[in-house]
Amino acid sequence: MKRTKIPFSTTLCLVLIAFGGSVAMAQTSTFNQRQTSHVWKSKHGNFQFNGKATKKEGNYVTFRTTDSFEITLPVKYLSDEDLAYLKYLEGSGPLPPGITAAAGSSSPGTTPPTGGMANNQGPSTDDTAMNEGTTDPAEPMPTEPETGDPTQSYAPGASVDVMVDGKWYPGKVIVVRPSDNHYYVTFNMNGQGRPAWIAASELRPQKAATTSDTSPMPGSSDEPLESFDFKGIPVTAKKEIGYDVGPMREGDTLKLRYVSGKWKSWGNLASESPDADAPAGGDKVRLAICSVSGGNQAQTLTLVPGGTADTPFIWQADKDYEKIILQINDPDKTFADNPERGVTYAIAIVRAGP
């Protein structure tokens, strides 16, 4: 498969034209950046991305994604919830339910309007921004025969490998288009950053984050346990110990955020996301936080709900645990019979003070 490189700014200009024409002179309102990063979605669900609203000019609003790209879109194409959130950011409406305001801010508000032309150039094509968040190998990965899973879904910000001409290159998801399971990604090809819309069948979770290693995090009962920030980990559905987190002490806090992948605890096709609001099978596809002591069977402590790609799930240890593990919530505990595939979560631990 050969691809023609199209500048990101050109792509977004074409999107703006398709959305309804040019941007005229308009007053500009700049949003306070104390707002938290938010998952912005279109009215009809054909795209979504993570970022902050930076300014509004007439009927257009500009965003900066968590990967430092700038996107300008017509306001009318945002979901009703996001339109309400924009009103809150402007100081003209309440905070919509389910959205968290920045700490110490009852309403971020905007700066006074200024005149100016709306930005219709789309994201920056600066190589530094384009390469941000990806590795930079001198050569592509070796040719491999496997392809991506066309049924797998990815969240904005997920680290992925991109298939081009039979070779995999490391990249990151910027914008999600659920309508046809396509993703706008940036990836490094022979040391150069490139953006493109890629089908799920030509993506896979980044190889570095999908190994079968289930060793515990650093630390043991004889060593001080340290806090660490979010890092991607694979969780397999084929074993009781889907991932070994390790020991946790009373007061330690575990944070989990869904990144990518689908699995099931029955049947032959791994087709359900544990992060969906209402997945087929319900709790049978949820991620379970369990404790293991000695040679006993794992005891489920709690289930991780859906929606963690937007808001991480937080669990705090109520006592000392010899070992905490993650597993698919398989009711019959026949893990080896589950369909192949696993999921990827980002995990962080905040250790309690002495």
Side-chain angles (χ1 to χ4, degrees):
M1 177 188 67
K2 294 185 178 180
R3 299 186 182 281
T4 302
K5 180 180 178 182
I6 301 176
F8 203 159
S9 58
T10 301
T11 303
L12 263 293
C13 285
L14 292 175
V15 171
L16 289 175
I17 292 172
F19 278 165
S22 60
V23 182
M25 293 290 293
Q27 286 190 324
T28 302
S29 296
T30 304
F31 295 108
N32 190 314
Q33 290 307 290
R34 291 171 65 190
Q35 63 185 275
T36 57
S37 187
H38 175 66
V39 179
W40 298 90
K41 301 178 182 179
S42 69
K43 180 176 296 186
H44 302 295
N46 59 347
F47 70 83
Q48 65 184 56
F49 57 89
N50 285 344
K52 299 179 180 180
T54 58
K55 61 183 177 180
K56 180 182 176 184
E57 298 177 283
N59 295 321
Y60 290 80
V61 61
T62 298
F63 307 89
R64 180 164 292 275
T65 73
T66 52
D67 295 281
S68 299
F69 286 95
E70 229 177 47
I71 298 176
T72 300
L73 294 170
V75 174
K76 67 180 181 180
Y77 284 93
L78 294 174
S79 67
D80 292 342
E81 179 188 61
D82 287 347
L83 290 175
Y85 186 38
L86 279 180
K87 289 183 179 180
Y88 166 76
L89 294 178
E90 293 176 311
S92 59
L95 181 67
I99 297 179
T100 303
S105 174
S106 59
S107 179
T110 59
T111 59
T114 58
M117 179 74 74
N119 180 354
N120 65 348
Q121 296 304 306
S124 165
T125 55
D126 179 80
D127 287 339
T128 301
M130 195 172 293
N131 293 337
E132 184 177 342
T134 61
T135 56
D136 188 17
E139 297 295 334
M141 299 177 187
T143 301
E144 299 182 45
E146 70 264 32
T147 60
D149 180 358
T151 68
Q152 183 154 343
S153 60
Y154 302 89
S159 296
V160 294
D161 292 331
V162 182
M163 173 70 80
V164 181
D165 294 333
K167 298 178 181 178
W168 292 102
Y169 298 87
K172 178 175 281 190
V173 173
I174 305 299
V175 180
V176 176
R177 194 169 71 202
S179 57
D180 58 359
N181 209 20
H182 276 60
Y183 302 85
Y184 200 95
V185 302
T186 60
F187 60 98
N188 282 296
M189 185 174 179
N190 300 326
Q192 294 185 344
R194 300 190 178 189
W197 280 103
I198 305 291
S201 59
E202 295 169 336
L203 297 175
R204 70 179 184 187
Q206 199 164 96
K207 196 170 185 179
T210 56
T211 66
S212 58
D213 177 25
T214 57
S215 59
M217 295 293 181
S220 69
S221 58
D222 299 324
E223 301 175 352
L225 298 175
E226 297 182 353
S227 301
F228 57 86
D229 204 356
F230 283 105
K231 61 182 291 185
I233 55 115
V235 187
T236 178
K238 299 288 287 183
K239 298 179 180 179
E240 179 181 21
I241 300 180
Y243 191 86
D244 188 344
V245 176
M248 292 189 69
R249 308 298 188 213
E250 182 178 358
D252 288 353
T253 300
L254 173 64
K255 301 179 181 181
L256 291 164
R257 184 177 67 222
Y258 173 78
V259 176
S260 63
K262 293 183 179 181
W263 61 7
K264 272 196 325 194
S265 59
W266 74 95
N268 299 309
L269 181 63
S271 59
E272 302 303 319
S273 168
D275 205 51
D277 291 334
D283 287 345
K284 292 194 294 183
V285 300
R286 295 299 187 196
L287 179 69
I289 300 175
C290 307
S291 67
V292 177
S293 179
N296 298 326
Q297 189 178 57
Q299 299 296 311
T300 300
L301 301 175
T302 189
L303 300 182
V304 178
T308 65
D310 300 338
T311 305
F313 176 73
I314 299 175
W315 174 80
Q316 188 172 63
D318 59 340
K319 63 180 182 178
D320 290 353
Y321 288 96
E322 179 181 328
K323 181 186 289 188
I324 293 293
I325 68 168
L326 305 176
Q327 64 177 214
I328 189 170
N329 187 39
D330 188 341
D332 59 15
K333 305 300 180 183
T334 55
F335 297 94
D337 295 336
N338 293 338
E340 293 289 346
R341 302 276 181 191
V343 297
T344 299
Y345 273 78
I347 181 175
I349 289 182
V350 180
R351 299 295 182 185

